[in-house]
Amino acid sequence: MADLTTQSSGTTTPAPGLRGSIGVTGIVFLVVAAAAPLTAIGGALPVMFAIGNGPGVPAAYLLVAAVLLLFSVGYAAMSRHVVDAGAFYSYVTAGLGRVTGTGAAGLALLTYSAIQAGVYGLAGVTTGGLVTKYGGPDLPWWTWSGILLLLVAILGYRNIEVGTKVLSLLIVLEVGIVAVVSVAVLVQGGADGINLTSFTPDAFSTGSPGIGVMFAVASFVGFEATAIYGEEARDPKRSVAKATYLAVILIGVFYALASWAMVLAVGTDKVQGAAAENTAGLVFAVAGEYVGGAASDLMEILLLTSLFAALLAFHSAIARYLFSLGRQGSAPSALARSHARHGSPHIGSLVQTASAAVVVAAFALAGADPVLQLFTWMSGLATLGVLVLMILVSVAVLVFFARGDTDSRLWHTRIAPVLGGLGLCAVAWLVLTNFTTLIGGSTNLALLFEGVVILFFAAGTLIAARRHSSPPGV
């Protein structure tokens, strides 16, 4: 890789790597921001109550967190040997080879691009609703999505530490309001007193537990991005592992406790029916009842900041994937340039902004519903994609450590990766059997999206295979 040289004009040349000095806390904030906790609690949770396993949702969150912790053991062990902004792509490449790894890269770009485009739809509607509520102009949802896209582009172009500072503040606020509401419910005893029914096997098996688990996985999308920021961490061999464990534990515990508080607030026997009657407003109604109208209004505003934080986090992740692909020769070399002053993957950032604008514009021109179609469809596609990626990484971890003596820890390199991989396969089966419900569409649409996942992986492998067989210099 070529050295970075700063020209007097301020232009950039190919960089050896990204620059930054973020620590464990900064990485965790970036990952938690991608998980968008208030979006999950305010948006996905009532849906899980209504069509999933009702009062057993908190147990579904803990189950998924346990599976992801097992996956994280091998993932964290791998981070000590592979430090690259490509994360999944780089890990699969190290274990299973360049062809399979590039296939994983194609799938990763599809996954993160899909979820980010979907969030733009939801964020546009949320912004428009808040603006009109407080007396502002009633503009099309895509207008607000465009404004948010511009703000994300500006922050994403700069050094990662700038984005981290913004995300840190937003995450503290959104987690804080959910914590206040949850504590208020517990202090006041909920609707029928405090109980642990939500964590029993009977509660977990209520209704459709498969759908509950499926939505729980969707709520975690983004946690695995810890390794993407390895090059910009102060101590990547330790920071990535710590940040991964912390992110999974914090997200899992937060979701489980917050969802348990919501169950108690409405009543164990009544939560499923209440969520079906008032899916969009359930959480805000609980905030208003137990804390006050001001808390409900604040939560609506912080839902928007939660969405913005997720947009910025996914933007940063995609830009770094593009940087890694460019540096490895699997994408145009211009993507492997880092900014002379910011040390950021600014070309990848610009490309990501353009691609997001194209997807959002396509849905807007087609007259599609920004929530029921853009957000729901893209979220389902991303959930399936990230599960396939994690299964590939689990296999790659096993192969990588099996062919060398770089790490002799049996639990970290054999047992946990196997258990985590099996757990992910079980979850993937649940997602596939309920995929039509997840995307809120038809069976044909579900098959189309499943085909898209296969297509992007195959395209990546074909590109790598063709590059491997080309004459030198081509």
Side-chain angles (χ1 to χ4, degrees):
M1 293 174 286
D3 286 335
L4 173 71
T5 58
T6 306
Q7 310 293 332
S8 59
S9 62
T11 57
T12 58
T13 58
L18 303 175
R19 297 199 309 272
S21 58
I22 54 175
V24 173
T25 303
I27 296 175
V28 170
F29 273 121
L30 284 162
V31 172
V32 174
L38 185 53
T39 303
I41 297 301
L45 181 59
V47 178
M48 295 170 70
F49 285 149
I51 65 174
N53 52 338
V57 165
Y61 276 127
L62 290 182
L63 176 63
V64 171
V67 172
L68 295 182
L69 271 177
L70 287 171
F71 165 80
S72 298
V73 173
Y75 190 66
M78 194 82 158
S79 70
R80 297 175 178 272
H81 304 279
V82 180
V83 179
D84 188 271
F88 278 158
Y89 153 65
S90 303
Y91 287 18
V92 175
T93 299
L96 303 179
R98 177 61 56 83
V99 173
T100 306
T102 308
L107 188 52
L109 288 174
L110 170 68
T111 295
Y112 291 125
S113 298
I115 188 63
Q116 195 208 28
V119 174
Y120 271 119
L122 181 57
V125 171
T126 302
T127 305
L130 282 173
V131 170
T132 54
K133 177 179 178 178
Y134 292 103
D138 185 7
L139 300 176
W141 66 269
W142 47 263
T143 304
W144 303 113
S145 296
I147 293 172
L148 292 172
L149 189 146
L150 181 61
L151 293 174
V152 169
I154 293 171
L155 288 174
Y157 187 87
R158 297 169 61 83
N159 188 283
I160 188 63
E161 293 174 40
V162 176
T164 302
K165 292 175 182 177
V166 174
L167 292 176
S168 299
L169 175 60
L170 298 181
I171 290 300
V172 168
L173 291 174
E174 67 174 283
V175 170
I177 188 63
V178 175
V180 167
V181 174
S182 300
V183 170
V185 171
L186 295 175
V187 169
Q188 296 174 46
D192 304 310
I194 306 299
N195 64 75
L196 298 175
T197 304
S198 290
F199 301 101
T200 63
D202 288 342
F204 176 77
S205 59
T206 300
S208 302
I211 292 178
V213 169
M214 180 179 64
F215 274 94
V217 172
S219 299
F220 275 88
V221 171
F223 91 92
E224 72 289 343
T226 49
I228 291 176
Y229 304 102
E231 288 188 44
E232 295 157 280
R234 283 192 287 268
D235 184 4
K237 293 188 177 182
R238 298 181 60 188
S239 297
V240 172
K242 289 182 179 179
T244 303
Y245 292 134
L246 271 175
V248 175
I249 293 171
L250 289 175
I251 294 172
V253 171
F254 176 80
Y255 284 156
L257 290 178
S259 59
W260 177 52
M262 294 301 162
V263 171
L264 295 177
V266 180
T268 305
D269 299 328
K270 294 175 281 188
V271 67
Q272 197 155 27
E277 292 178 9
N278 184 23
T279 306
L282 179 69
V283 173
F284 304 107
V286 168
E289 179 182 351
Y290 284 88
V291 182
S296 180
D297 292 340
L298 178 60
M299 186 174 279
E300 289 182 351
I301 295 172
L302 290 176
L303 174 59
L304 175 58
T305 66
S306 173
L307 292 167
F308 180 78
L311 288 171
L312 182 56
F314 282 119
H315 176 97
S316 300
I318 297 166
R320 281 151 185 79
Y321 257 101
L322 292 171
F323 174 87
S324 180
L325 286 169
R327 186 168 59 184
Q328 298 296 332
S330 299
S333 59
L335 292 169
R337 295 176 180 270
S338 61
H339 197 277
R341 183 157 57 93
H342 301 305
S344 61
H346 63 303
I347 303 298
S349 177
L350 292 172
V351 170
Q352 200 289 310
T353 298
S355 66
V358 168
V359 175
V360 172
F363 274 82
L365 291 172
D369 187 284
V371 177
L372 297 179
Q373 293 174 317
L374 177 54
F375 176 71
T376 303
W377 292 359
M378 295 298 99
S379 296
L381 182 60
T383 301
L384 181 58
V386 79
L387 280 169
V388 175
L389 279 169
M390 287 192 288
I391 291 170
L392 283 172
V393 171
S394 296
V395 176
V397 169
L398 288 169
V399 174
F400 178 81
F401 288 114
R403 64 175 179 229
D405 56 357
T406 54
D407 194 329
S408 60
R409 297 174 298 176
L410 190 62
W411 169 255
H412 291 74
T413 61
R414 300 288 193 280
I415 299 174
V418 168
L419 294 176
L422 291 175
L424 289 169
C425 287
V427 172
W429 178 80
L430 285 174
V431 169
L432 286 171
T433 54
N434 293 280
F435 193 58
T436 302
T437 301
L438 181 61
I439 64 171
S442 66
T443 301
N444 289 336
L445 185 64
L447 291 173
L448 174 63
F449 284 161
E450 290 164 7
V452 168
V453 169
I454 297 172
L455 177 63
F456 268 75
F457 178 79
T461 59
L462 288 174
I463 290 172
R466 183 174 180 179
R467 177 173 173 268
H468 179 74
S469 60
S470 298
V474 176

